[in-house]
Structure formats: structure tokens, C-alpha cells
Amino acid sequence: MDSTQVDPETFWDERYGESDAIWSGHVNVALADVVVERELEVGTALDLGCGEGADALWLAQHGWRTTGLDISVVAVQRAQAAAKAQGFSAAQARFEAADLMSWNSDQKFDLITASFLQSPVQFDRTQALHVAQDLVAPGGRLLVISHASFPPWAKDHHEDADHEAKHETTTPESELELLQLDERRWSVEIAELRSREITAPDGKLASLDDTVILARRTGWD
């Protein structure tokens, strides 16, 4: 069966169930760098596709009142456990298992982050990021970080008919085209590639590129 047709909630619950943790537990380097470099004023934050909670918890550690959203119940339970272990209250860091497309919130956020919201199963990423735009408060920011390259061993691991769907890379230009930010409502502050180092399965260091977009909401009209 084509994996792109698998129910996303089922896929991710099974994926997280494969091991006790599937991510490093460390904050996304580009996210941390942008928040620090831009000296973003602390406020409310929403992390989309929060996984096991590392990015949201880093923000909470730096004073943000964070909400993490993920379609996987398993991932959210791990994030909640991590928040409890670090001593955060629900007002400081809360996590919810939900599909952004059907998630209802009257709250607007000062920062919305979406890191590597690229899925090997069917997922309307364009629509999700457009929904996210409507949740940014006036003066708030949308931070989108996406894969501009993949490690060579990922290709070897996923050599199948839907390989391209699983490994769709981005550029600053393609991400801005996808976001379709209205210039009357948004100011693009960052649109660039950033490199980071990762460790390969054989222990060697490799360099990958990420696309980073930071946009500030200047108003509603």
C-alpha cells in the first residue's frame, strides 16, 4: 500500500511507538538562533507538529507560554511527561493531540513555529500553514523551518515509488510561494538557507541545509 495514503494519526502513532524516543530531545538549532538573534519579545507561542516537545519546551524555558500541537497521541504524551519532569505548569507549557485543520482556538499567538512540517504520509502542508497564518496575533511572527536537503542515507532507506513525496526539499523562493503572504499584512524578515551539522549513522559529521522563513504580521487589513 502507498504510504502516502495511510491515515496520518495511525502512521505517526506507530512511528513513535517504534522506540522510546525518535528525536534528539534538543531544540531545533535554527529556531533557537532566530529567537535569540532577533531578540523576539517573550509572549505566547504555538508549535505545530511539536512531536516529543523539544522546541516548545525550549521556548518555555526562555519564558514563552507555549502550546504544542501534534496529531500523534503518543508524541503528545511524551511531551507532556517531559514538561512535567521539567517542572512546567500547564500555563507555561501545554500539549494537545489534534489535527490543525480541525483544531478550534480563539487565541492568537505572538509566535507560531512550524519546524520540518514535511510528512511522508498524505498531509496538506500548504493549507496547514495558511491556517497557521490566521492564528498569528498582530505584531506576531510565523517561523517556518523546512528541509532544503536530506542526508544521503535517508535516500537509501526510502528507495521506493513515492520517494519524491517523502523527500520534497524546499528553497526560500518555494516556501514564500507556498505561503502566499499578503504584503499588506506581512513583512518578511528572514528568507534564507541555513546550514547545520548532524551526525551520520557511521559517526561522521554531515552538513544539511534548511530553509528558514520568518514573517511578522503587521495588521489584519
Side-chain angles (χ1 to χ4, degrees):
M1 180 179 179
D2 185 347
S3 66
T4 61
Q5 302 303 313
V6 177
D7 172 68
E9 182 178 351
T10 299
F11 174 87
W12 285 110
D13 277 343
E14 291 179 351
R15 177 72 178 88
Y16 280 103
E18 292 175 359
S19 60
D20 292 336
I22 66 171
W23 308 122
S24 68
H26 302 301
V27 65
N28 182 314
V29 172
L31 184 152
D33 286 348
V34 167
V35 170
V36 172
E37 291 167 5
R38 292 283 163 163
E39 299 181 340
L40 299 187
E41 184 178 354
V42 169
T44 57
L46 173 65
D47 184 32
L48 304 178
C50 66
E52 293 159 332
D55 288 356
L57 292 174
W58 183 89
L59 288 167
Q61 290 162 5
H62 289 77
W64 294 80
R65 299 182 302 283
T66 64
T67 298
L69 203 66
D70 200 284
I71 199 168
S72 170
V73 173
V74 178
V76 165
Q77 288 172 342
R78 291 179 183 175
Q80 290 170 334
K84 182 177 180 180
Q86 294 181 34
F88 289 115
S89 68
Q92 295 171 305
R94 59 182 292 269
F95 296 91
E96 186 175 344
D99 184 341
L100 175 63
M101 305 300 191
S102 56
W103 186 60
N104 294 317
S105 175
D106 294 329
Q107 184 177 0
K108 304 299 180 185
F109 297 87
D110 300 307
L111 175 65
I112 293 184
T113 61
S115 299
F116 307 129
L117 205 63
Q118 292 152 286
S119 176
V121 292
Q122 186 171 357
F123 172 67
D124 192 341
R125 180 170 177 267
T126 300
Q127 180 61 24
L129 291 175
H130 283 220
V131 170
Q133 292 176 32
D134 292 334
L135 295 173
V136 179
R141 290 173 171 84
L142 175 66
L143 174 60
V144 179
I145 302 168
S146 54
H147 294 292
S149 62
F150 288 91
W153 60 87
K155 179 178 180 180
D156 296 336
H157 185 65
H158 293 294
E159 196 65 58
D160 53 29
D162 58 335
H163 168 76
E164 290 303 321
K166 292 183 177 184
H167 293 83
E168 181 181 356
T169 57
T170 65
T171 65
E173 293 77 16
S174 71
E175 288 292 81
L176 289 175
E177 177 65 23
L178 179 149
L179 290 168
Q180 290 290 298
L181 297 168
D182 188 332
E183 293 181 356
R184 297 170 298 176
R185 299 181 175 92
W186 293 91
S187 173
V188 176
E189 297 180 328
I190 297 175
E192 64 189 26
L193 293 177
R194 294 196 177 201
S195 296
R196 60 186 167 94
E197 286 192 338
I198 61 170
T199 303
D202 62 5
K204 296 180 180 179
L205 290 179
S207 181
L208 295 181
D209 289 331
D210 298 326
T211 298
V212 179
I213 304 293
L214 180 69
R216 181 175 182 270
R217 184 149 201 169
T218 55
W220 297 111
D221 300 318

